[in-house]
Amino acid sequence: QLVVLLIFMLWQVAAGVILPAEIDQIKIKDPTVTHPFPRLFFNYEDIETLRKKADTSHARITAEVKFAARQIMRRPELYVPPVNEARFHASWNEKVGNNLCIFALYCLLYPDDTEALAVAHQYMDRLARYPSWEVRGGEHDEMPMSHSIVGLSTAFDFLYHTLSVDQRKFYFERIRKATARHFERFKSASWGKFHLQNHVLNNCVGLLTGALIVNALDKRGEMWIKLVTAHLNRTTTLISSIIDGSLDEGVPYSTYTSRSLTMFAFFANRHMNLNYYDNYWFRQYFWYLYGTLLPGYKETVGIGDACRTWFYGPESQLVFLDTFILKKGYANWLAFKIKENRERTGALKSSGSQQWTTVHTEYIWYNEEIPERAPEADGITKLTTFSDWGVVTYGASAPPGSTFLSFKSSYLHGRAINNAVTYSLQPHLINGWSSLNPGHEHPDQNSFTFWPRGQPFITEGYYGAKFSFNNNVLMFAPSKKTRLCGPPYEGEIGECYKWLSWMSDESAGLSADIIAAYEDDGYAFISGEAVNAYSPQLRLKSVYRNAFLVTPDVLLVVDNVEKHGDSEVDRFASFFQTNAGKLGVQHLDIYDRPVAVLRYDDKTFTAAWVVTNDQPTKAAYQAINFPKANDFQYSSTQYLNVSGYLTDSLTRIAYVFYGPGPTVSLPEFTFKDESGYVASITVDSTEYNLRVVSQHDNPTKRLTFLGHTGFATLQTSNGEKIKFGKDSYQPTPVLYDIEELASETNSETTSESCKRSPLTYILLLASVFALIIVALFCQKRIHYYWTTVTIIMLVIFFCIGQLEALAADCSVKKVVVQVVHHHQSTVDPGTKLPSVFISSLKQAGAEMIGVLFNKTTDFVYLSFPQDIALEKFSDADPYIVNPCVWEINEAYENPISDWLRQLYWNPYEAVEKLKGDNQGSVIPVETLEYMSEKAKLYPGARLALAAANGFWNLKLPWMQEALGASARVIYTVRDPRSWVAYMIASKQYEYIWNTLRKIFSSDPCAVQGTFHPAFTPIRSMVNSDDFEDPAKLLAHLWFADTLATLELLAGTNDYLIVKVEDLVNEPENTAEMIFAFVGMPFSTAARHYVLQMTRSNDFKLPFNEQLRPTNLNFWHHVLTSLDIETIESITMPLMTKLDYKPV
């Protein structure tokens, strides 16, 4: 067996699956305990404490433990494994292992209940005597086996002290054999290669649980532990990229995966000293559960293969989050809210296979010392966007009776993992789609649900076969495909199978995206583009759906379907699931046409629709039954089907859905052209006119059609006007007001180092004393040798030189009086489209902010080609700083100005020209190709340039003039201590020193520009060969460049100062502020990227540190205390005004 294990390890290494270093870093603790068991979650010495909590702090959880125990005792034939082994193998049997855990916990807490203990021993004995734990006919699926391993291992661990010697040997050997067999399957089964899918986590944690038991008495378990932990470590690394806490399989299946993830994180910490608690996904998982909870705390969003509630927990996962990660009481509060509102009967009852699976971990992990409290914004109806999952909810976790709306438009497997596969971002972790399994996803892009006043109207199709008509989406005809599951219509990519087909060539391009998600004063506007969720053979140009919540009772939905000229598609069919009440289609006199009516709990819900081409439509109510494979799957669905014709290249269909109460008119298109439409609807005598731009990816078209750069405008007959995407966010800019400095006195603006340095007074006194001695010598009042006098004269010259340097230093710091203040834009960004220029010192933030603009279709982004400037305007190396100020009046006289303006007005032609001139350029050809493709695909996109090399900082006013009046300048700064530490740690100091010597060896501005006096101390230092103090030189460099840049910006408009630390500490707020300053919408993609950049493991600081708030002060570990004191003494005037705190 050892030989086989070694061969497997070598195969894993050769295949790039698990590396030796990954195994070596896993060290299993060897606890010094008097009893070998329990060991999984607690020690023998902890049992008494657990028992004392049962009827006190943990009473609410204990009530469920007791209830489960009574049920098992009362009906053992339903829960205890049957004597007849065939019955055990005949059906899905995970409940046997699941229910054993809670029953073992009951016996542990109440040892006097000997009757229950006898049943528990019988339960364990029957399970252990089965030679195998698979389901007959499903031997390829190891899930039931994993549940049985967890169940028997947990019961053995909890009840070890109650077992006889023979029982201990028998159960241990059965666990060892089952775990060994599970490990053999791990080596060959898909779950040993996949990541993230629920089978992977469940099976791996089953293997880990059994291995931890085995390792206590048999060291063969050690290698099992290390290998499965290494595999799970890769999964947790990938999951850290999913920054919204979601999982692609939907909320119910996420609780299956998170049940295993929490167990793994706990086991890894307890048994291996591995810390996964700082994984950002865990922190956000609370908000995922909270933001998908329907009003009333009884059920969740049913996206994907889902039921209306949760499969496992989520109370256990929630108390885990509060105990080990959040520690705020939010998760404990939500756990007990869900527990209090659970239904034990009816449609919302949990499955018998899963209802008690996680109660034992909930009991163990619950920390009663963390008081329960609701999140601050609880009870307020709000919009929540899951930027990775591609889902928006409105009204989640709101009070009972509140309106709920959800909308889904997403990438296959979510944005982060899809990008990782598409662009091979983490090839050492995943091998394309063959390492993943998003089969539980649905063909449901642009699907939505609507629960007016908490009543189900438009619902999900829930768990079932992957048919487009089982979701609230569009289908089209005719189709060129030979296999259709809803003929003659073709739906979204991946449909027609039991699981979503994700491995086909078409599926590789499956994507959709949330375009807009805004709320304002009770209105909500959500839109999604799903054209890439359909086969390219259909030749569709846009499938753009807008959902507008008019009132809590009324939802207006508009589908904008645009075809290419050669498309043969001429029909559409839309589907709306209504899995509540009785649905029918009838004629209503108020509309003079057929409408759909749903009757639910004696209430009436209505759906009506119109089409822009005035062609007739058909409506039908249909119901479908599916094979029911598991007891938690839905076996049927019912839906409304509206079908019609696509006679024009652009067709729009408007639907209105409303609950009982309001009087609602039929939607009407009062204006429409290729750019957009105006849809009008009247609700209770109030008219609502929604103006929506169809070409959502073209900011020029949005500006022309709407008068602003957002996505829609609402006007009501009551005088309300709301610009969705423009006025929906009112930023509170974190702009650093250093204007006050201009009004301070000279004494206040003199730096501390100038006012208080003892060296100043010592040098001054030495100079005066030496001068007196020389004067007396010349008057022959004292007698010295000429040698002595010569030495005294040299001392005088040295002191004067040092005083001059100090004076220059102080004078530079006094320039602050005239320099630093900020401007907000004085040009309304809604009147003209902006161009953007981002600049900073090297590694001071421009590259971080610049990439945000690359994640939106509104901008063509370029990391500015500094070599052009170097070649045409200066012989100085531009990669550090450039002390030359370019005059604004020269902005139209340089060759680069013409290229910049061309890039601004026509990015595509400018990039094409740059590609032609790119011989020998440092700009990668693939970068230019990408820019060219994006500029061609999005002709309305504006220009965003980022220069992170320091060369352009003193040219920002010139750049503003060159780019035109609508240019927006963003200047990023970084804590000088952090910046200096990075330069020292990355071993760039010698290069910087040599570069500065080259720059200042002659007049650096001889070719063009004017030398800025802030750099005078730098010139003095590099010319004096003072090479021994890197911190001092770099601090002066940061101070001079920052000071000069702020001085120059003070005389301009439309600039923004952004601190890197703000982007890291408050990424969403800071990025939202940046886009508000620019005057463009903050896209879902940019929102996702800024969080992924600052919260995941994907982006690093020096020394492989994660770019997170806790790591911003890494400079403490790089700089000495003397370095820090030197840097602060030099830069303190600007540090203070930029709100950087001294040590």
Side-chain angles (χ1 to χ4, degrees), residues 267-490:
F267 286 160
N269 186 267
R270 175 175 168 82
H271 298 283
M272 290 164 272
N273 280 329
L274 297 176
N275 181 18
Y276 295 98
Y277 295 160
D278 63 349
N279 189 310
Y280 190 66
W281 181 88
F282 278 119
R283 185 171 297 276
Q284 291 304 106
Y285 188 61
F286 166 79
W287 298 107
Y288 177 62
L289 294 174
Y290 182 81
T292 52
L293 191 62
L294 270 65
Y297 308 103
K298 295 179 184 293
E299 55 187 301
T300 185
V301 168
I303 293 171
D305 276 346
C307 59
R308 293 171 61 180
T309 59
W310 307 266
F311 289 159
Y312 298 85
E315 295 94 326
S316 171
Q317 296 92 314
L318 287 166
V319 300
F320 170 90
L321 293 175
D322 243 347
T323 297
F324 301 109
I325 298 169
L326 300 176
K327 302 179 181 179
K328 292 185 176 180
Y330 298 165
N332 284 347
W333 169 83
L334 185 58
F336 287 110
K337 271 287 186 182
I338 292 173
K339 189 178 293 292
E340 290 165 4
N341 289 278
R342 274 197 183 274
E343 294 189 3
R344 296 192 181 274
T345 59
L348 298 180
K349 178 183 179 297
S350 297
S351 163
S353 294
Q354 302 146 353
Q355 58 183 337
W356 301 318
T357 306
T358 59
V359 178
H360 68 293
T361 49
E362 178 188 357
Y363 186 96
I364 294 166
W365 291 334
Y366 174 59
N367 184 352
E368 70 280 6
E369 295 180 359
I370 300 176
E372 302 161 28
R373 64 188 182 103
E376 283 75 5
D378 184 66
I380 301 173
T381 303
K382 54 191 172 296
L383 198 76
T384 303
T385 300
F386 297 97
S387 59
D388 190 285
W389 193 25
V391 171
V392 179
T393 62
Y394 178 81
S397 294
S402 300
T403 292
F404 179 83
L405 172 67
S406 71
F407 192 102
K408 180 176 186 287
S409 195
S410 65
Y411 285 74
L412 179 66
H413 217 308
R415 192 186 302 270
I417 302 302
N418 191 288
N419 285 342
V421 174
T422 302
Y423 303 110
S424 300
L425 299 182
Q426 303 196 55
H428 60 294
L429 296 180
I430 51 178
N431 181 25
W433 288 114
S434 62
S435 298
L436 302 162
N437 183 353
H440 283 296
E441 292 189 37
H442 279 211
D444 59 358
Q445 309 313 327
N446 276 1
S447 182
F448 70 94
T449 67
F450 179 46
W451 296 56
R453 307 285 182 184
Q455 303 295 315
F457 184 5
I458 306 301
T459 66
E460 294 288 355
Y462 300 109
Y463 208 129
K466 308 306 176 281
F467 302 139
S468 292
F469 55 77
N470 193 31
N471 299 277
N472 304 321
V473 301
L474 288 163
M475 299 179 71
F476 300 98
S479 170
K480 295 181 179 180
K481 291 186 176 181
T482 56
R483 175 172 179 173
L484 297 173
C485 47
Y489 295 98
E490 177 182 341

Side-chain angles (χ1 to χ4, degrees), residues 974-1027:
R974 183 174 179 178
D975 187 320
R977 295 158 298 191
S978 177
W979 186 79
V980 171
Y982 174 84
M983 291 300 169
I984 292 175
S986 57
K987 304 185 184 307
Q988 297 191 52
Y989 176 64
E990 185 174 353
Y991 166 75
I992 293 172
W993 171 265
N994 291 329
T995 300
L996 291 174
R997 294 205 69 179
K998 178 182 176 183
I999 290 173
F1000 292 108
S1001 62
S1002 59
D1003 183 0
C1005 306
V1007 176
Q1008 180 178 358
T1010 304
F1011 181 80
H1012 195 286
F1015 287 88
T1016 300
I1018 307 296
R1019 180 164 57 185
S1020 299
M1021 292 180 71
V1022 298
N1023 288 333
S1024 65
D1025 290 332
D1026 187 7
F1027 180 74

Side-chain angles (χ1 to χ4, degrees), residues 229-302:
T229 298
H231 186 66
L232 287 171
N233 179 66
R234 291 184 163 209
T235 287
T236 57
T237 300
L238 282 173
I239 210 171
S240 70
S241 300
I242 306 174
I243 46 73
D244 59 8
S246 68
L247 288 172
D248 72 294
E249 295 179 312
V251 179
Y253 262 118
S254 86
T255 60
Y256 203 172
T257 301
S258 64
R259 167 251 188 185
S260 300
L261 274 171
T262 51
M263 287 180 66
F264 169 64
F266 181 83
F267 286 160
N269 186 267
R270 175 175 168 82
H271 298 283
M272 290 164 272
N273 280 329
L274 297 176
N275 181 18
Y276 295 98
Y277 295 160
D278 63 349
N279 189 310
Y280 190 66
W281 181 88
F282 278 119
R283 185 171 297 276
Q284 291 304 106
Y285 188 61
F286 166 79
W287 298 107
Y288 177 62
L289 294 174
Y290 182 81
T292 52
L293 191 62
L294 270 65
Y297 308 103
K298 295 179 184 293
E299 55 187 301
T300 185
V301 168

Side-chain angles (χ1 to χ4, degrees), residues 11-29:
W11 173 80
Q12 292 275 61
V13 171
V17 179
I18 296 175
L19 300 175
E22 296 179 78
I23 299 172
D24 290 342
Q25 70 179 358
I26 299 169
K27 308 295 183 183
I28 302 172
K29 290 195 293 186

Side-chain angles (χ1 to χ4, degrees), residues 39-52:
R39 66 188 291 115
L40 288 177
F41 298 94
F42 50 84
N43 298 329
Y44 181 82
E45 293 75 16
D46 301 319
I47 293 176
E48 193 58 36
T49 301
L50 289 171
R51 287 171 177 167
K52 289 179 180 178

Side-chain angles (χ1 to χ4, degrees), residues 64 67-68 71-72 75 78-80 91-102 123 147 307 309-313 342-359 628 630-633:
E64 193 164 2
F67 175 79
Q71 292 296 103
I72 294 171
R75 300 288 303 277
L78 295 180
Y79 299 99
V80 177
S91 62
W92 191 262
N93 55 43
E94 70 168 90
K95 68 179 181 180
V96 173
N98 290 345
N99 294 333
L100 181 53
C101 295
I102 193 172
Y123 199 134
H147 286 277
C307 59
T309 59
W310 307 266
F311 289 159
Y312 298 85
R342 274 197 183 274
E343 294 189 3
R344 296 192 181 274
T345 59
L348 298 180
K349 178 183 179 297
S350 297
S351 163
S353 294
Q354 302 146 353
Q355 58 183 337
W356 301 318
T357 306
T358 59
V359 178
K628 188 172 183 180
N630 298 313
D631 63 353
F632 51 84
Q633 291 187 359

